[in-house]
Structure formats: structure tokens, C-alpha cells
Amino acid sequence: MSKQRILSLTLAVAASIAVSGAAYGLDSKEPIQPIAAAKTKNPALAELGKKLYFDARLSKSGFISCNSCHNLSMGGTDNLKTSIGDHWHEGPINAPTVLNSSMNVAQFWDGRAADLKAQAGGPIANPGEMGFTHKLAVDVLQSIPAYVAEFKMVFGSDQVTIEEVTKAIAAFEETLVTPNSRFDKWLKGDKKALNANEVSGYKLFKESGCVACHNGPAVGGNSYQKMGVVEAYKTASKAEGRSAVTGKDADRFNFKVPTLRNVELTYPYFHDGEAATLKQAVETMGRIQLGKKFSDDENARIVAFLKTLTGDQPSFKLPILPPSSDLTPRPQPFGK
Amino acid sequence: MSKQRILSLTLAVAASIAVSGAAYGLDSKEPIQPIAAAKTKNPALAELGKKLYFDARLSKSGFISCNSCHNLSMGGTDNLKTSIGDHWHEGPINAPTVLNSSMNVAQFWDGRAADLKAQAGGPIANPGEMGFTHKLAVDVLQSIPAYVAEFKMVFGSDQVTIEEVTKAIAAFEETLVTPNSRFDKWLKGDKKALNANEVSGYKLFKESGCVACHNGPAVGGNSYQKMGVVEAYKTASKAEGRSAVTGKDADRFNFKVPTLRNVELTYPYFHDGEAATLKQAVETMGRIQLGKKFSDDENARIVAFLKTLTGDQPSFKLPILPPSSDLTPRPQPFGK
């Protein structure tokens, strides 16, 4: 049953390779394609979104911004097993990287948000994350003259709305792609970009079946898969995955396959953050998803390949946020 | 007694004006001097310090960095009454701005650190702030190859030390000055930089005696003064000020005079953060320090002047931090 599943996935991937490989004019048909640099359609919208992404006034406490858990200094994650929320709430799940997240089939580990815009509103209003409400967040922004002016410039209206807020944040997040990894250079024909050990790790990654789920430009992010295909995954995490969205028992422990782009930066790994290192993650994945026990040498070669997936990190000036006015509701970090 | 105190302060200021005004070649001898742009003596040291300033791995939780409470997107403060520390600890005092802090006579509200280097180590090891120890922070850095290489490049040694860490952070902080405020342009002769209302506010600021304490390039930061000269300041804060350092009862409620540079950005005000707006702060200061009740119009003019003190905010690319290695001790956000 599980081998059949892998086979059908592999066939599906092979079909997609035939299409997408050609688009890049690559010599060989590879299951992973290079990432293209971001083309920003509306720079003013993305610039506004950048400010909002860094603005902790979208939280009840005034202390937590999008960047707190999806930190762009640290691979778009917080590098914690699970995240810290309002009043130091212990989050239930590992914060996925925001880098290249526009390529995901859907957002969150269980795919409950269709796109980045739908995602962006979630943490603001989650009591265990930013702990605010959409109305209060909008009230704060509406009280800040420089924001009102910027929203008006971008959207043409005097009235700030949560739809505008999430649209702007999503537009900024769409710029957070990471092209020019050594692996992408190699894919594009620069055969010196990887050493023999890394190329051998890539071959093993393909031959072992990792690529059945981790494929496409984001090396993942484009399907849901069961965590524990060959062997059940043991975890204290209560996250049930896709079934929480679909209500189907068959979707239990199905999670969105994470991107492996920049994976050297996005530790710890898995939805529960229980794999501290790439070595552990590769060992577990081989065992529970593929029924393989990689030797130390094989594991090290796959890890060496994975470290070639780190691309250019987003490069921009730290945004300077407009000050609150006398009318701005003050943050409530220690209120009930 | 209190009027005598103000008189003696005013005379001291007058003497200092005669010296410092001349240095800038200003027409008139003003008690406030323009801020000069930062000249970085050792750019590699400051660059390393910038990374450390943004690196939450210097905290026990892996969640709190220098920038968490001295946020360079928000005037070098957290814009909270008192700060949030490890496990959401409610801090005892308002986070002072890091902007122009190199001009302070000493660091912290009570001046217990002689300079920025001495200050930088404090929050790392404070259980209610970053909650770590110097040894553990150094262990983390020592386990990160790219940091070890950068420390070696800067300091010439393979061994990271806390002295190097705080020296680098201080060097970065020394770059965080904010020249080119409208007021500085006016001081340098551009008489169109301020409008008549703002100039009138400045005159009132001088004539009322505010300038007795808020003077020099940082418009404060260069002396300790009693909070409540004419009238006792009522607060729930337990902070005792300078006496905690000197042990002298005469120093009770003496605090370092805060800089007024960028004061529009650094709300809320006072060591307890109890003044939410500039209007409130001006009202309280007039009443308890100077025995004056400013009219609404006078208050508004002083506030208009204060808002001209916002200078160029530090402009730099968000630093990208080197990843932890497999040997890096992991953060403990939810540990005891």
C-alpha cells in the first residue's frame, strides 16, 4: 500500500518534470526547478505591507509582529520548536518559513488558508499568537495619520480595512523569494556550483524517493502527505493536520509538505519542531516515509545537498514605522 | 530651595552654551547643538555588533534580542510603558531609546552602567529581560562557525568573549545617531526649516526653564535630576533612581534626564512610561519640575517644537544572521 503510494507519486512527479523542465531550457529533466526572482507588480503596496509586517501594533501587546515568528533575519522562521505568542503562550505548531511561501499550494501546515492574504489575518486575531482582533488592529492603523495617507495612496480610500491590511502584507510576502542558490546555479548549467559530494547527495535524494514529495521550484510546498507512511510518527503534538480542515479521517496526520528551500536556516524541523538538525530530519524522513535506513555517509551527502538550497535572502532596509498619534489606542501587554 | 536649584542649573547651562555654541559657528548661542553624523571608526566591528543586536539567540528563549525592546523601526524603543521580558515578565521601567545613547552621561535611567559597552551585557543576563547568562550566550556564538570567523576577523582570536560581544554591540549603537532634524537645520541657519509656531515653542522651551536640564546635542542625557523638584511625582513605580547606585538618600528619585531627540517616536514618557502623549509629558514636567501651568496654547507650541527634533533614523539593511550548527545549544523558551 505504502509502496504503491510512493510509486503513484513518483509517476505524477515524472509527468510534471516533463512539462516544467522544458520551460527552463535545462539539459536534463529535473524534478526541481530554479526559483525566479520576484517581480513586484505593485511596489507601493508591497512597501506598505513591509511596514505592516514589522509593526507590532497589529498585536494586543504591541510586542509581536509578523516578523517575530517569521523573522527575516533567520530564514523567515523563529527557529523555535513551536512559537511564542501573546503572554508567552506556547504555540501548538512550528512556524513555517515565510520565504517562498507564495509557492505553497495553501498556507499553514494544514492548508486552512487558501493563500497568503487569507493567512495574514489569522495570527493577528489568534488569542495565542498576536491576541488582537481585526477591528482593533484597523482602529490602531486608522489613528495613525501617516498610515492613513499611505493606505489612501495605495488603495484610494480614507478608510483602512482588514482586507487592505492582509492584501498589503501578502504583497510584501510575495517578494520574499530566494533565487540564486548554488543548487539553482547548478541546475542552470554552472556545474562548478556544486561539488561531487553535493551532486551525489542530490542523486541519492532523487533515487531514494525524497523527491516524490519535495519537488518543484520550492522543493515541496505543493502537496499534502501523510506524516508516517511506512512507520507511524511518534509525537506529543496534538496537531492532526489536514483532517482538521476537511473533517475526513483519511486526512489525519496529512500535512503540507514543507519547502526545503533555505532549509539550513529553518531549523528545527517538522510540524512539531522535534527534529533539531538536518541529520535527524533526514534520518526520520527516510525511516517513516520511505522505509529506508540511510548510512551516516548517505545521510551526510543528502544534508550536503540540502545546504545548497540556501538562496539569496531578502535584502531591504529595516522599515521605519510611522509614530502613533495621541488618539492611537495603546497596547495592552499586561492586561487581561 | 527649588527655585534656587533651577537658577543654579540655568547658570551652569549658560556657561556651557558659551563654549559649545561657538564650536558650531552658530549666529546665536543656543543651549542645544546640532547632532553630527556618526563616524564609524571600525565598520567591521559595528557590522558584527549589528548582527548581535538583532540576534535573539543571546536570550534564553531565542525570542528576545536587543532590538525587541530598543526597536529601530520605532525610535529605538518598544513604545510600551515598561518592557516585556523572558516569560512575559513585566519590566520595572520604561525602555530608554538607544538612539543617540552614546551621548548619555551614563546608561540606564539610574546611570548604573558607565557606557554602552557596560550596558549591553546587562539585559542578556537579567532574568526578567533576556534571561540568559554571559557564559551561555558566548557558548551559543562559539558554536556558530560564521560568527567565530567574523569574531576572528574583527578581534583576531578564535575564542569569543563577552567583552567582545558587548564591545561590538556598543560600536553598532554608536552609529545610531539621528542628524538632520528640522531643528538642527534651523540651528545651522536654515530659518525656513521651522515655522513660526515651532520657533515660538522653542523660545518658550528656553524661557520656561525646560532647557535647564534638556540641553546639549542630545537635548538631555547629560545630567541626573530629581523627578519632582517643585511637586512630588506620584507613581506606582518602585524605581528609586540614582540612589540605587550611590546609596545616598539625597539621590532618591534622581533619574538621568532623557534625551528629547526623536521624542515624537519614543512614547510613552518618563521612567514609568505613565505619560502617554507629549501633551501629558509637557504638562507634568511644567508642573512638577518648574512650578508652571502651561496654557493649552503654550503646551501645543512646546509640543510642536519637540516634534522638530526627529532626525534621520538609522538606515541599514536588515541583517541576515548566520545559522546555528548542529552543536549550537537550543533555545529554551518554555523551560523552567
Side-chain angles (χ1 to χ4, degrees), chain B residues 206-221:
Chain B
K206 286 195 287 188
E207 291 163 8
S208 306
C210 310
V211 83
C213 301
H214 292 286
N215 55 60
V219 201

Side-chain angles (χ1 to χ4, degrees), chain A residues 42-70:
Chain A
N42 186 340
L45 178 66
E47 198 59 34
L48 172 58
K50 186 196 296 174
K51 290 196 182 87
L52 297 169
Y53 189 89
F54 279 84
D55 202 325
R57 286 171 295 188
L58 296 181
S59 68
K60 181 185 177 198
S61 64
F63 191 65
I64 300 180
S65 70
C66 304
N67 194 63
S68 296
C69 299
H70 303 283

Side-chain angles (χ1 to χ4, degrees), chain A residues 208-279:
Chain A
S208 306
C210 310
V211 83
C213 301
H214 292 286
N215 55 60
V219 200
N222 51 359
S223 70
Y224 302 98
Q225 302 295 340
K226 182 157 225 133
M227 179 77 168
V229 171
V230 178
E231 180 184 319
Y233 179 60
K234 293 194 181 88
T235 176
S237 168
K238 289 175 181 162
E240 298 222 328
R242 188 82 184 133
S243 60
V245 178
T246 65
K248 294 179 185 166
D249 196 58
D251 287 331
R252 277 191 80 206
F253 306 127
N254 274 15
F255 292 92
K256 190 178 65 192
V257 176
T259 175
L260 297 184
R261 290 283 179 184
N262 311 293
V263 73
E264 185 181 10
L265 309 180
T266 62
Y267 53 89
Y269 307 105
F270 305 152
H271 67 278
D272 57 4
E274 284 296 333
T277 66
L278 279 175
K279 183 178 180 181

Side-chain angles (χ1 to χ4, degrees), chain A residues 73 88 267 276 319 321 324 330 333, chain B residues 73 88 267 276 319 321 324 330 333:
Chain A
S73 294
W88 215 263
Y267 53 89
L321 303 177
S324 295
R330 269 25 190 183
Chain B
S73 294
W88 214 262
Y267 53 89
L321 303 177
S324 294
R330 268 27 189 182

Side-chain angles (χ1 to χ4, degrees), chain A residues 62-128:
Chain A
F63 191 65
I64 300 180
S65 70
C66 304
N67 194 63
S68 296
C69 299
H70 303 283
N71 191 326
L72 292 167
S73 294
M74 314 199 302
T77 71
D78 53 15
N79 294 144
L80 301 176
K81 281 187 185 182
T82 67
S83 296
I84 295 169
D86 190 61
H87 280 75
W88 215 263
H89 176 80
E90 184 171 354
I93 209 154
N94 180 262
T97 180
V98 69
L99 298 177
N100 306 303
S101 56
S102 55
M103 300 177 194
N104 287 338
V105 59
Q107 302 301 325
F108 297 113
W109 281 96
D110 58 11
R112 68 183 182 276
D115 54 27
L116 288 172
K117 184 176 175 302
Q119 188 278 333
I124 293 173
N126 187 323

Side-chain angles (χ1 to χ4, degrees), chain B residues 119-139:
Chain B
Q119 187 280 334
I124 293 173
N126 186 321
E129 299 188 28
M130 295 165 82
F132 221 22
T133 71
H134 289 172
K135 181 184 182 309
L136 290 172
V138 166
D139 286 351

Side-chain angles (χ1 to χ4, degrees), chain A residues 54-57 61-64 67-69 71-74 78-91 264-265 267 276-279 307 313-327 330-334, chain B residues 54-57 61-64 67-69 71-74 78-91 264-265 267 276-279 307 313-327 330-334:
Chain A
F54 279 84
D55 202 325
R57 286 171 295 188
S61 64
F63 191 65
I64 300 180
N67 194 63
S68 296
C69 299
N71 191 326
L72 292 167
S73 294
M74 314 199 302
D78 53 15
N79 294 144
L80 301 176
K81 281 187 185 182
T82 67
S83 296
I84 295 169
D86 190 61
H87 280 75
W88 215 263
H89 176 80
E90 184 171 354
E264 185 181 10
L265 309 180
Y267 53 89
T277 66
L278 279 175
K279 183 178 180 181
K307 290 184 177 180
Q313 298 300 292
S315 176
F316 57 87
K317 286 186 177 171
L318 184 75
I320 304 299
L321 303 177
S324 295
S325 74
D326 289 3
L327 299 176
R330 269 25 190 183
Q332 301 292 339
F334 305 112
Chain B
F54 279 85
D55 202 326
R57 286 170 295 188
S61 63
F63 191 63
I64 300 180
N67 194 63
S68 296
C69 299
N71 191 325
L72 292 167
S73 294
M74 315 199 301
D78 53 15
N79 293 144
L80 301 176
K81 282 188 187 182
T82 67
S83 296
I84 296 169
D86 190 62
H87 280 75
W88 214 262
H89 177 79
E90 184 172 355
E264 185 181 9
L265 310 180
Y267 53 89
T277 66
L278 279 175
K279 183 179 179 179
K307 290 185 177 178
Q313 299 299 294
S315 175
F316 57 86
K317 286 186 176 171
L318 184 75
I320 303 300
L321 303 177
S324 294
S325 73
D326 289 4
L327 299 176
R330 268 27 189 182
Q332 301 292 337
F334 304 111

